[in-house]
Amino acid sequence: MARIQECILYRDFQHGELLEKMTALMNAYGNSQEDLSDKKTVFYECVNSLVEMAGDYGFSGNLWHNYLTFLLVNHENAFSTACEIRGAVKGSINEMAMNDFAVFKELYDFDLECLDRAFHTTCCRTLCSYENIDDGSKMFNKRIRDRICSMSKTLAAAKTTGEFMEDMVQFYKDFGVGKLGLHKAFRIDHDENGQTIIAPITRIAHVKLEDLVGYEIPKQKLIENTEAFVRGRKANNCLLFGDAGTGKSSSIKGILNRYYDEGLRIIEVYKHQFQDLNDVIAQIKNRNYKFIIYMDDLSFEEFETEYKYLKAVIEGGLEKKPDNILIYATSNRRHLVRERAGDKLELMDDDDLHSSDTVQEKLSLVYRFGVRIYFGAPEKREFEEIVETLAERNGIDMPRNSLLMEANKWELSHGGRTGRTAQQFIDYLLGKEGEGTWQ
Protein backbone atom coordinates (compact mmCIF):
# COMPACT_ATOMS: atom_id res chain seq x y z
CA MET A 1 0.00 0.00 0.00
CA ALA A 2 1.23 3.53 -0.84
CA ARG A 3 1.50 5.43 2.46
CA ILE A 4 2.26 8.90 1.14
CA GLN A 5 -0.08 10.51 3.68
CA GLU A 6 2.23 9.22 6.45
CA CYS A 7 5.13 11.45 5.37
CA ILE A 8 6.19 14.02 7.95
CA LEU A 9 8.74 16.26 6.21
CA TYR A 10 8.06 15.57 2.54
CA ARG A 11 4.53 16.88 2.17
CA ASP A 12 2.66 19.45 0.07
CA PHE A 13 4.76 19.03 -3.05
CA GLN A 14 4.61 21.80 -5.62
CA HIS A 15 3.95 19.26 -8.38
CA GLY A 16 2.19 16.74 -6.16
CA GLU A 17 -1.11 16.24 -8.00
CA LEU A 18 0.31 13.38 -10.04
CA LEU A 19 1.70 11.75 -6.89
CA GLU A 20 -1.74 11.75 -5.27
CA LYS A 21 -3.36 10.21 -8.34
CA MET A 22 -0.69 7.55 -8.75
CA THR A 23 -0.76 6.49 -5.10
CA ALA A 24 -4.55 6.27 -5.28
CA LEU A 25 -4.20 3.91 -8.25
CA MET A 26 -1.61 1.82 -6.43
CA ASN A 27 -3.82 1.51 -3.37
CA ALA A 28 -6.83 0.62 -5.50
CA TYR A 29 -4.79 -2.10 -7.23
CA GLY A 30 -3.64 -3.43 -3.86
CA ASN A 31 -7.23 -3.72 -2.68
CA SER A 32 -8.44 -6.89 -4.34
CA GLN A 33 -12.02 -6.02 -3.48
CA GLU A 34 -11.99 -2.72 -5.35
CA ASP A 35 -13.19 -2.41 -8.93
CA LEU A 36 -10.60 -0.59 -11.10
CA SER A 37 -12.89 -0.03 -14.05
CA ASP A 38 -13.80 3.49 -12.92
CA LYS A 39 -10.11 4.37 -12.46
CA LYS A 40 -9.16 4.00 -16.12
CA THR A 41 -9.54 7.71 -16.88
CA VAL A 42 -7.29 8.60 -13.93
CA PHE A 43 -4.74 6.05 -15.13
CA TYR A 44 -4.50 7.63 -18.57
CA GLU A 45 -4.30 11.09 -17.02
CA CYS A 46 -1.27 9.92 -15.03
CA VAL A 47 0.39 8.47 -18.11
CA ASN A 48 -0.19 11.73 -19.95
CA SER A 49 1.28 13.76 -17.08
CA LEU A 50 4.45 11.67 -17.01
CA VAL A 51 4.93 11.98 -20.77
CA GLU A 52 4.33 15.73 -20.69
CA MET A 53 6.80 16.05 -17.83
CA ALA A 54 9.38 14.17 -19.92
CA GLY A 55 8.82 16.66 -22.74
CA ASP A 56 9.16 19.68 -20.45
CA TYR A 57 12.23 18.50 -18.53
CA GLY A 58 13.92 16.27 -21.08
CA PHE A 59 13.67 13.11 -18.95
CA SER A 60 14.18 9.61 -20.31
CA GLY A 61 14.44 6.13 -18.82
CA ASN A 62 11.99 5.30 -16.01
CA LEU A 63 9.71 8.34 -15.96
CA TRP A 64 8.02 7.31 -12.71
CA HIS A 65 11.38 7.18 -10.94
CA ASN A 66 12.40 10.46 -12.59
CA TYR A 67 9.24 12.10 -11.27
CA LEU A 68 9.78 10.84 -7.71
CA THR A 69 13.40 12.02 -7.81
CA PHE A 70 12.29 15.38 -9.15
CA LEU A 71 10.01 15.75 -6.11
CA LEU A 72 12.73 14.78 -3.62
CA VAL A 73 15.50 16.99 -4.99
CA ASN A 74 13.20 20.02 -5.17
CA HIS A 75 11.47 19.74 -1.80
CA GLU A 76 12.80 22.31 0.66
CA ASN A 77 12.14 21.23 4.24
CA ALA A 78 13.92 21.25 7.60
CA PHE A 79 15.93 18.15 6.71
CA SER A 80 16.89 18.85 3.08
CA THR A 81 17.91 22.48 3.71
CA ALA A 82 19.98 21.42 6.72
CA CYS A 83 21.86 18.88 4.56
CA GLU A 84 22.48 21.18 1.59
CA ILE A 85 26.21 21.75 1.06
CA ARG A 86 26.98 20.59 4.66
CA GLY A 87 25.89 16.96 4.39
CA ALA A 88 24.59 14.70 7.16
CA VAL A 89 23.20 16.37 10.28
CA LYS A 90 22.62 15.06 13.78
CA GLY A 91 19.40 15.05 15.75
CA SER A 92 15.92 13.60 15.90
CA ILE A 93 15.05 14.95 12.48
CA ASN A 94 16.91 11.97 10.97
CA GLU A 95 14.25 9.62 12.35
CA MET A 96 11.51 11.62 10.64
CA ALA A 97 13.49 11.67 7.39
CA MET A 98 13.99 7.91 7.62
CA ASN A 99 10.22 7.48 7.97
CA ASP A 100 9.57 9.51 4.83
CA PHE A 101 12.27 7.78 2.80
CA ALA A 102 10.80 4.40 3.74
CA VAL A 103 7.54 5.57 2.18
CA PHE A 104 9.30 6.75 -0.97
CA LYS A 105 11.35 3.59 -1.26
CA GLU A 106 8.09 1.65 -1.45
CA LEU A 107 7.03 3.91 -4.33
CA TYR A 108 10.30 3.26 -6.15
CA ASP A 109 9.97 -0.48 -5.60
CA PHE A 110 6.39 -0.66 -6.85
CA ASP A 111 6.10 -2.71 -10.05
CA LEU A 112 4.46 -0.18 -12.33
CA GLU A 113 3.73 -2.75 -15.02
CA CYS A 114 1.11 -4.38 -12.81
CA LEU A 115 -1.11 -1.43 -13.76
CA ASP A 116 -0.68 -2.51 -17.40
CA ARG A 117 -2.14 -5.87 -16.47
CA ALA A 118 -4.96 -4.24 -14.55
CA PHE A 119 -5.93 -1.91 -17.38
CA HIS A 120 -4.87 -4.15 -20.29
CA THR A 121 -2.36 -1.68 -21.74
CA THR A 122 1.37 -1.44 -22.44
CA CYS A 123 1.69 2.17 -21.28
CA CYS A 124 3.64 1.48 -18.10
CA ARG A 125 6.14 -0.73 -19.88
CA THR A 126 6.86 2.21 -22.16
CA LEU A 127 7.09 4.62 -19.22
CA CYS A 128 9.69 2.41 -17.55
CA SER A 129 12.08 2.64 -20.52
CA TYR A 130 11.06 5.88 -22.18
CA GLU A 131 13.09 7.30 -25.05
CA ASN A 132 12.69 11.03 -25.45
CA ILE A 133 12.00 12.55 -28.86
CA ASP A 134 14.99 14.93 -28.63
CA ASP A 135 17.83 15.97 -26.37
CA GLY A 136 16.30 19.28 -25.39
CA SER A 137 14.45 20.59 -22.36
CA LYS A 138 12.20 23.58 -21.88
CA MET A 139 12.83 23.82 -18.14
CA PHE A 140 16.27 22.33 -17.41
CA ASN A 141 19.65 22.45 -19.03
CA LYS A 142 21.36 19.15 -19.85
CA ARG A 143 23.45 19.17 -16.68
CA ILE A 144 20.43 19.30 -14.36
CA ARG A 145 18.40 16.83 -16.41
CA ASP A 146 21.20 14.26 -16.46
CA ARG A 147 21.76 14.74 -12.75
CA ILE A 148 18.13 13.92 -11.92
CA CYS A 149 17.99 10.93 -14.29
CA SER A 150 21.20 9.55 -12.82
CA MET A 151 19.95 10.06 -9.27
CA SER A 152 16.70 8.25 -10.05
CA LYS A 153 18.71 5.15 -11.02
CA THR A 154 20.76 5.40 -7.84
CA LEU A 155 17.68 5.62 -5.62
CA ALA A 156 15.93 2.79 -7.45
CA ALA A 157 18.95 0.57 -6.83
CA ALA A 158 19.06 1.27 -3.07
CA LYS A 159 18.60 -2.02 -1.20
CA THR A 160 17.56 -0.53 2.15
CA THR A 161 15.92 2.62 3.45
CA GLY A 162 19.20 3.53 5.13
CA GLU A 163 21.05 3.34 1.82
CA PHE A 164 18.27 5.36 0.18
CA MET A 165 18.65 8.06 2.82
CA GLU A 166 22.45 8.12 2.49
CA ASP A 167 22.10 8.64 -1.26
CA MET A 168 19.72 11.57 -0.73
CA VAL A 169 21.96 13.19 1.89
CA GLN A 170 24.94 12.89 -0.47
CA PHE A 171 22.93 14.51 -3.25
CA TYR A 172 21.94 17.42 -1.00
CA LYS A 173 25.58 17.82 0.06
CA ASP A 174 26.94 17.74 -3.49
CA PHE A 175 24.27 19.76 -5.28
CA GLY A 176 21.87 21.30 -2.76
CA VAL A 177 18.10 21.23 -2.83
CA GLY A 178 15.37 23.01 -4.77
CA LYS A 179 15.87 25.68 -7.39
CA LEU A 180 18.80 27.20 -5.49
CA GLY A 181 20.58 23.85 -5.52
CA LEU A 182 19.90 22.78 -9.08
CA HIS A 183 20.54 26.11 -10.80
CA LYS A 184 23.53 28.43 -10.91
CA ALA A 185 22.04 31.76 -11.82
CA PHE A 186 18.80 33.59 -11.08
CA ARG A 187 16.90 36.77 -11.83
CA ILE A 188 14.28 38.70 -9.89
CA ASP A 189 10.67 38.25 -10.95
CA HIS A 190 7.19 38.62 -9.47
CA ASP A 191 4.36 36.13 -9.15
CA GLU A 192 0.71 36.74 -9.99
CA ASN A 193 0.24 38.34 -6.55
CA GLY A 194 3.11 40.76 -7.04
CA GLN A 195 5.37 38.96 -4.57
CA THR A 196 9.10 39.00 -5.26
CA ILE A 197 10.45 35.63 -6.39
CA ILE A 198 13.88 34.37 -7.39
CA ALA A 199 13.51 32.77 -10.83
CA PRO A 200 16.15 30.40 -12.26
CA ILE A 201 17.98 31.28 -15.47
CA THR A 202 17.94 27.96 -17.29
CA ARG A 203 20.34 28.83 -20.09
CA ILE A 204 23.62 30.44 -19.09
CA ALA A 205 26.88 30.64 -21.02
CA HIS A 206 29.41 28.16 -19.66
CA VAL A 207 32.32 30.59 -19.59
CA LYS A 208 35.57 29.61 -17.93
CA LEU A 209 38.07 32.11 -16.55
CA GLU A 210 40.67 30.47 -18.77
CA ASP A 211 38.60 31.50 -21.78
CA LEU A 212 39.39 35.15 -21.02
CA VAL A 213 42.78 35.77 -22.58
CA GLY A 214 45.05 38.09 -20.62
CA TYR A 215 44.01 40.19 -17.61
CA GLU A 216 45.80 37.79 -15.27
CA ILE A 217 46.24 40.31 -12.44
CA PRO A 218 42.58 41.49 -12.41
CA LYS A 219 41.36 37.88 -12.63
CA GLN A 220 43.61 36.84 -9.74
CA LYS A 221 42.23 39.62 -7.53
CA LEU A 222 38.70 38.49 -8.34
CA ILE A 223 39.58 34.84 -7.65
CA GLU A 224 41.17 35.65 -4.29
CA ASN A 225 38.17 37.64 -3.08
CA THR A 226 35.64 35.05 -4.28
CA GLU A 227 37.61 32.11 -2.93
CA ALA A 228 37.74 33.71 0.51
CA PHE A 229 33.98 34.26 0.33
CA VAL A 230 32.94 30.72 -0.65
CA ARG A 231 35.29 29.20 1.95
CA GLY A 232 33.88 31.17 4.83
CA ARG A 233 36.57 33.82 5.23
CA LYS A 234 36.10 37.59 5.19
CA ALA A 235 35.56 39.05 1.73
CA ASN A 236 34.54 42.36 0.18
CA ASN A 237 31.92 43.63 -2.21
CA CYS A 238 33.61 43.90 -5.58
CA LEU A 239 33.44 46.46 -8.41
CA LEU A 240 34.89 45.62 -11.82
CA PHE A 241 35.29 48.84 -13.79
CA GLY A 242 36.99 49.93 -16.96
CA ASP A 243 36.63 50.04 -20.72
CA ALA A 244 33.74 48.34 -22.48
CA GLY A 245 34.36 44.90 -23.93
CA THR A 246 37.34 44.07 -21.73
CA GLY A 247 35.88 40.97 -20.07
CA LYS A 248 34.31 42.27 -16.86
CA SER A 249 31.03 40.40 -17.27
CA SER A 250 32.78 37.30 -18.63
CA SER A 251 34.96 37.23 -15.54
CA ILE A 252 31.89 37.15 -13.29
CA LYS A 253 30.43 34.27 -15.33
CA GLY A 254 33.74 32.45 -15.13
CA ILE A 255 33.87 32.88 -11.35
CA LEU A 256 30.36 31.43 -11.06
CA ASN A 257 31.21 28.35 -13.10
CA ARG A 258 34.46 27.76 -11.19
CA TYR A 259 32.92 27.91 -7.70
CA TYR A 260 29.41 26.60 -8.32
CA ASP A 261 30.35 23.19 -6.92
CA GLU A 262 31.41 24.90 -3.68
CA GLY A 263 27.95 26.40 -3.23
CA LEU A 264 28.29 29.70 -5.10
CA ARG A 265 25.14 31.10 -6.70
CA ILE A 266 24.48 34.39 -8.52
CA ILE A 267 21.38 36.59 -8.69
CA GLU A 268 21.22 39.20 -11.45
CA VAL A 269 19.64 42.50 -10.44
CA TYR A 270 18.88 45.63 -12.47
CA LYS A 271 18.56 49.20 -11.22
CA HIS A 272 14.78 49.26 -11.33
CA GLN A 273 14.71 46.19 -9.07
CA PHE A 274 16.66 47.66 -6.16
CA GLN A 275 13.39 48.05 -4.29
CA ASP A 276 13.12 44.23 -4.27
CA LEU A 277 16.56 43.65 -2.74
CA ASN A 278 15.35 43.40 0.85
CA ASP A 279 12.82 40.72 -0.15
CA VAL A 280 15.52 38.80 -2.03
CA ILE A 281 17.94 38.96 0.89
CA ALA A 282 15.23 37.74 3.25
CA GLN A 283 14.72 34.65 1.06
CA ILE A 284 18.40 33.66 0.87
CA LYS A 285 20.06 34.84 4.07
CA ASN A 286 19.49 31.58 6.00
CA ARG A 287 20.50 29.17 3.23
CA ASN A 288 23.81 27.32 3.12
CA TYR A 289 24.83 28.71 -0.26
CA LYS A 290 27.00 31.75 -0.95
CA PHE A 291 25.21 34.35 -3.05
CA ILE A 292 26.61 37.04 -5.30
CA ILE A 293 24.08 39.74 -6.11
CA TYR A 294 25.29 40.77 -9.54
CA MET A 295 24.70 44.16 -11.13
CA ASP A 296 25.96 44.40 -14.70
CA ASP A 297 26.86 47.69 -16.38
CA LEU A 298 25.94 49.66 -13.28
CA SER A 299 25.93 53.46 -13.51
CA PHE A 300 23.69 56.36 -12.53
CA GLU A 301 22.83 59.67 -14.07
CA GLU A 302 22.40 62.76 -11.91
CA PHE A 303 18.63 62.45 -11.87
CA GLU A 304 18.68 58.78 -10.84
CA THR A 305 18.52 58.37 -7.08
CA GLU A 306 18.40 54.57 -6.85
CA TYR A 307 22.08 54.59 -5.84
CA LYS A 308 21.10 56.03 -2.45
CA TYR A 309 18.88 53.02 -1.82
CA LEU A 310 21.64 50.68 -2.91
CA LYS A 311 24.06 52.27 -0.44
CA ALA A 312 21.77 51.39 2.46
CA VAL A 313 21.37 47.81 1.26
CA ILE A 314 25.09 47.26 0.82
CA GLU A 315 26.13 48.85 4.09
CA GLY A 316 24.52 51.39 6.34
CA GLY A 317 21.09 50.05 7.21
CA LEU A 318 20.15 48.86 10.68
CA GLU A 319 20.15 45.20 9.62
CA LYS A 320 23.60 43.75 9.04
CA LYS A 321 24.14 42.32 5.56
CA PRO A 322 24.19 38.50 5.86
CA ASP A 323 27.58 36.81 5.70
CA ASN A 324 26.49 34.61 2.78
CA ILE A 325 25.84 37.57 0.45
CA LEU A 326 28.19 39.84 -1.49
CA ILE A 327 27.55 42.50 -4.11
CA TYR A 328 29.49 42.28 -7.38
CA ALA A 329 29.03 44.97 -10.02
CA THR A 330 30.54 45.87 -13.37
CA SER A 331 30.65 49.39 -14.75
CA ASN A 332 32.33 51.51 -17.37
CA ARG A 333 32.46 54.32 -14.78
CA ARG A 334 35.05 54.36 -12.02
CA HIS A 335 32.72 56.11 -9.58
CA LEU A 336 29.37 54.72 -10.85
CA VAL A 337 27.55 58.06 -10.50
CA ARG A 338 27.93 60.68 -13.20
CA GLU A 339 30.08 63.59 -12.09
CA ARG A 340 30.12 67.16 -13.38
CA ALA A 341 33.10 69.43 -13.58
CA GLY A 342 31.25 71.72 -11.20
CA ASP A 343 31.28 69.02 -8.54
CA LYS A 344 35.03 69.50 -8.17
CA LEU A 345 34.79 73.24 -7.55
CA GLU A 346 34.93 74.46 -3.99
CA LEU A 347 33.22 77.70 -5.01
CA MET A 348 29.57 78.06 -4.19
CA ASP A 349 27.04 78.45 -6.96
CA ASP A 350 23.32 78.95 -7.17
CA ASP A 351 22.63 75.24 -7.45
CA ASP A 352 24.85 73.80 -4.71
CA LEU A 353 25.94 75.57 -1.53
CA HIS A 354 28.22 72.72 -0.43
CA SER A 355 29.81 71.26 -3.51
CA SER A 356 32.36 69.23 -1.52
CA ASP A 357 29.45 67.45 0.15
CA THR A 358 28.07 66.68 -3.30
CA VAL A 359 31.35 65.02 -4.26
CA GLN A 360 31.35 62.89 -1.11
CA GLU A 361 27.73 61.89 -1.65
CA LYS A 362 28.50 60.64 -5.14
CA LEU A 363 31.66 58.82 -4.09
CA SER A 364 30.11 57.19 -1.04
CA LEU A 365 28.56 54.41 -3.14
CA VAL A 366 31.78 53.27 -4.79
CA TYR A 367 33.56 53.33 -1.43
CA ARG A 368 31.22 50.58 -0.26
CA PHE A 369 32.97 48.23 -2.68
CA GLY A 370 36.04 47.10 -0.75
CA VAL A 371 37.65 45.57 -3.85
CA ARG A 372 37.80 47.64 -7.02
CA ILE A 373 39.41 46.00 -10.05
CA TYR A 374 40.36 47.83 -13.24
CA PHE A 375 39.97 46.24 -16.67
CA GLY A 376 41.66 48.41 -19.28
CA ALA A 377 41.72 48.17 -23.05
CA PRO A 378 44.76 46.15 -24.21
CA GLU A 379 47.73 47.69 -25.96
CA LYS A 380 48.30 46.74 -29.61
CA ARG A 381 50.61 43.83 -28.78
CA GLU A 382 48.25 42.51 -26.12
CA PHE A 383 45.35 42.75 -28.55
CA GLU A 384 47.30 40.78 -31.15
CA GLU A 385 48.11 38.09 -28.56
CA ILE A 386 44.41 37.78 -27.78
CA VAL A 387 43.60 37.40 -31.48
CA GLU A 388 46.32 34.77 -31.97
CA THR A 389 45.17 32.76 -28.95
CA LEU A 390 41.53 32.83 -29.99
CA ALA A 391 42.42 31.87 -33.55
CA GLU A 392 44.43 28.89 -32.30
CA ARG A 393 41.59 27.77 -30.01
CA ASN A 394 39.13 27.89 -32.87
CA GLY A 395 41.33 26.05 -35.34
CA ILE A 396 41.86 28.98 -37.69
CA ASP A 397 44.91 28.15 -39.80
CA MET A 398 45.81 31.52 -41.29
CA PRO A 399 49.23 33.10 -41.86
CA ARG A 400 50.14 35.16 -38.78
CA ASN A 401 50.86 38.38 -40.67
CA SER A 402 47.58 38.16 -42.57
CA LEU A 403 45.67 37.35 -39.40
CA LEU A 404 47.05 40.33 -37.49
CA MET A 405 46.69 42.70 -40.41
CA GLU A 406 43.03 41.78 -40.81
CA ALA A 407 42.49 41.99 -37.04
CA ASN A 408 43.94 45.48 -36.87
CA LYS A 409 41.81 46.59 -39.80
CA TRP A 410 38.77 45.08 -38.09
CA GLU A 411 39.26 46.85 -34.75
CA LEU A 412 39.53 50.27 -36.42
CA SER A 413 35.90 50.06 -37.52
CA HIS A 414 34.48 47.87 -34.74
CA GLY A 415 35.00 49.65 -31.45
CA GLY A 416 38.76 49.62 -30.91
CA ARG A 417 41.10 47.11 -29.30
CA THR A 418 39.15 45.04 -26.77
CA GLY A 419 38.69 41.37 -26.02
CA ARG A 420 35.14 41.60 -27.31
CA THR A 421 36.33 43.05 -30.63
CA ALA A 422 38.87 40.24 -30.95
CA GLN A 423 36.17 37.62 -30.36
CA GLN A 424 33.89 39.29 -32.89
CA PHE A 425 36.70 39.23 -35.43
CA ILE A 426 37.28 35.51 -34.83
CA ASP A 427 33.54 34.85 -35.15
CA TYR A 428 33.62 36.74 -38.46
CA LEU A 429 36.45 34.51 -39.71
CA LEU A 430 34.62 31.38 -38.60
CA GLY A 431 31.56 32.57 -40.49
CA LYS A 432 33.66 33.01 -43.63
CA GLU A 433 35.35 29.63 -43.23
CA GLY A 434 32.92 27.81 -45.51
CA GLU A 435 33.62 30.30 -48.28
CA GLY A 436 37.32 29.48 -48.22
CA THR A 437 38.28 33.14 -48.10
CA TRP A 438 40.94 33.04 -45.37
CA GLN A 439 42.71 29.69 -45.71
Side-chain angles (χ1 to χ4, degrees):
M1 298 289 287
R3 302 179 292 117
I4 195 64
Q5 72 281 357
E6 297 179 16
C7 285
I8 301 170
L9 300 170
Y10 290 84
R11 305 180 66 88
D12 303 320
F13 293 97
Q14 186 176 0
H15 301 277
E17 302 86 355
L18 174 59
L19 180 64
E20 294 176 5
K21 292 180 179 179
M22 283 294 292
T23 53
L25 284 174
M26 292 175 183
N27 290 331
Y29 176 82
N31 185 354
S32 58
Q33 305 300 318
E34 187 166 348
D35 183 9
L36 291 179
S37 59
D38 62 339
K39 299 286 194 301
K40 201 161 190 177
T41 299
V42 176
F43 170 74
Y44 283 112
E45 287 176 354
C46 291
V47 173
N48 171 263
S49 296
L50 287 170
V51 173
E52 289 297 324
M53 177 197 68
D56 288 341
Y57 295 97
F59 294 151
S60 59
N62 191 312
L63 298 188
W64 172 236
H65 290 169
N66 290 339
Y67 170 68
L68 294 174
T69 306
F70 173 79
L71 294 181
L72 290 173
V73 302
N74 275 290
H75 196 274
E76 298 177 1
N77 55 60
F79 178 77
S80 62
T81 56
C83 294
E84 64 183 7
I85 306 304
R86 296 187 301 181
V89 295
K90 297 180 180 180
S92 302
I93 197 169
N94 287 286
E95 297 178 20
M96 299 179 181
M98 185 71 78
N99 169 80
D100 291 7
F101 290 139
V103 173
F104 267 86
K105 188 175 187 318
E106 291 175 359
L107 297 177
Y108 276 86
D109 292 342
F110 182 82
D111 181 11
L112 207 62
E113 292 190 34
C114 69
L115 296 179
D116 272 345
R117 295 189 289 271
F119 294 107
H120 308 291
T121 73
T122 59
C123 295
C124 292
R125 185 177 63 188
T126 303
L127 293 177
C128 290
S129 55
Y130 189 79
E131 296 181 11
N132 217 321
I133 56 176
D134 57 40
D135 197 39
S137 170
K138 302 173 186 175
M139 310 296 292
F140 284 158
N141 60 38
K142 184 178 184 296
R143 174 182 55 84
I144 298 174
R145 180 202 65 201
D146 291 348
R147 186 170 292 166
I148 290 177
C149 290
S150 175
M151 186 60 183
S152 71
K153 296 177 182 177
T154 300
L155 294 175
K159 293 181 173 56
T160 65
T161 302
E163 183 180 340
F164 189 102
M165 180 169 169
E166 289 176 3
D167 291 335
M168 281 308 312
V169 169
Q170 189 63 44
F171 184 93
Y172 293 145
K173 181 179 186 297
D174 291 342
F175 308 114
V177 59
K179 64 184 178 184
L180 297 180
L182 293 177
H183 298 273
K184 296 180 180 180
F186 307 85
R187 62 167 60 93
I188 294 178
D189 206 345
H190 296 89
D191 61 19
E192 60 273 9
N193 299 317
Q195 298 296 313
T196 303
I197 60 174
I198 301 172
I201 298 174
T202 57
R203 298 190 181 276
I204 181 172
H206 193 71
V207 178
K208 296 181 180 180
L209 282 172
E210 295 76 14
D211 295 336
L212 182 61
V213 183
Y215 299 99
E216 297 306 320
I217 294 177
K219 286 192 297 184
Q220 187 58 35
K221 289 182 179 179
L222 185 63
I223 289 170
E224 290 173 356
N225 191 69
T226 308
E227 202 163 274
F229 177 51
V230 299
R231 295 177 185 174
R233 304 194 300 271
K234 290 292 184 181
N236 283 290
N237 300 312
C238 192
L239 172 65
L240 282 61
F241 70 94
D243 300 310
T246 52
K248 301 183 294 294
S249 300
S250 295
S251 296
I252 300 291
K253 295 172 186 175
I255 280 290
L256 171 64
N257 288 316
R258 173 173 290 193
Y259 294 102
Y260 162 75
D261 289 339
E262 296 186 43
L264 184 65
R265 304 292 185 267
I266 195 166
I267 302 174
E268 188 174 38
V269 180
Y270 296 100
K271 281 190 295 187
H272 68 278
Q273 298 172 320
F274 286 171
Q275 61 187 358
D276 297 315
L277 279 176
N278 282 333
D279 290 337
V280 170
I281 291 173
Q283 294 180 44
I284 63 178
K285 64 181 180 181
N286 295 321
R287 301 301 294 269
N288 293 321
Y289 309 99
K290 300 291 186 179
F291 292 94
I292 289 175
I293 295 180
Y294 170 49
M295 303 167 186
D296 190 28
D297 199 18
L298 185 65
S299 66
F300 301 91
E301 300 299 328
E302 285 185 284
F303 60 85
E304 294 178 311
T305 59
E306 292 94 338
Y307 74 91
K308 298 182 179 181
Y309 185 84
L310 180 58
K311 286 196 306 181
V313 171
I314 295 178
E315 184 182 327
L318 289 177
E319 183 178 8
K320 177 179 176 289
K321 182 167 65 65
D323 292 335
N324 69 328
I325 297 173
L326 282 184
I327 310 291
Y328 277 22
T330 66
S331 179
N332 295 336
R333 286 180 176 170
R334 178 186 296 269
H335 293 146
L336 298 178
V337 182
R338 181 182 180 184
E339 299 174 274
R340 297 180 298 112
D343 291 341
K344 300 295 185 183
L345 300 177
E346 294 297 332
L347 299 176
M348 295 186 299
D349 58 37
D350 293 338
D351 296 325
D352 195 347
L353 296 178
H354 302 284
S355 57
S356 62
D357 291 348
T358 300
V359 174
Q360 290 304 312
E361 166 70 11
K362 291 187 174 182
L363 294 181
S364 60
L365 174 59
V366 75
Y367 288 158
R368 280 168 164 78
F369 291 89
V371 173
R372 297 183 287 277
I373 304 174
Y374 175 63
F375 282 71
E379 299 295 333
K380 180 177 181 180
R381 182 65 200 124
E382 294 172 323
F383 174 75
E384 291 177 345
E385 288 177 359
I386 294 173
V387 170
E388 288 183 87
T389 302
L390 293 176
E392 182 179 352
R393 285 181 183 175
N394 288 276
I396 295 177
D397 184 15
M398 186 175 179
R400 180 176 181 274
N401 290 339
S402 300
L403 176 70
L404 298 183
M405 182 179 67
E406 292 300 320
N408 288 318
K409 286 167 55 180
W410 176 273
E411 63 90 0
L412 289 174
S413 58
H414 291 84
R417 292 191 294 264
T418 68
R420 179 184 297 158
T421 303
Q423 183 62 62
Q424 291 171 345
F425 170 66
I426 295 299
D427 291 341
Y428 165 76
L429 291 183
L430 292 173
K432 302 289 286 183
E433 179 178 3
E435 301 177 13
T437 56
W438 52 260
Q439 286 89 342

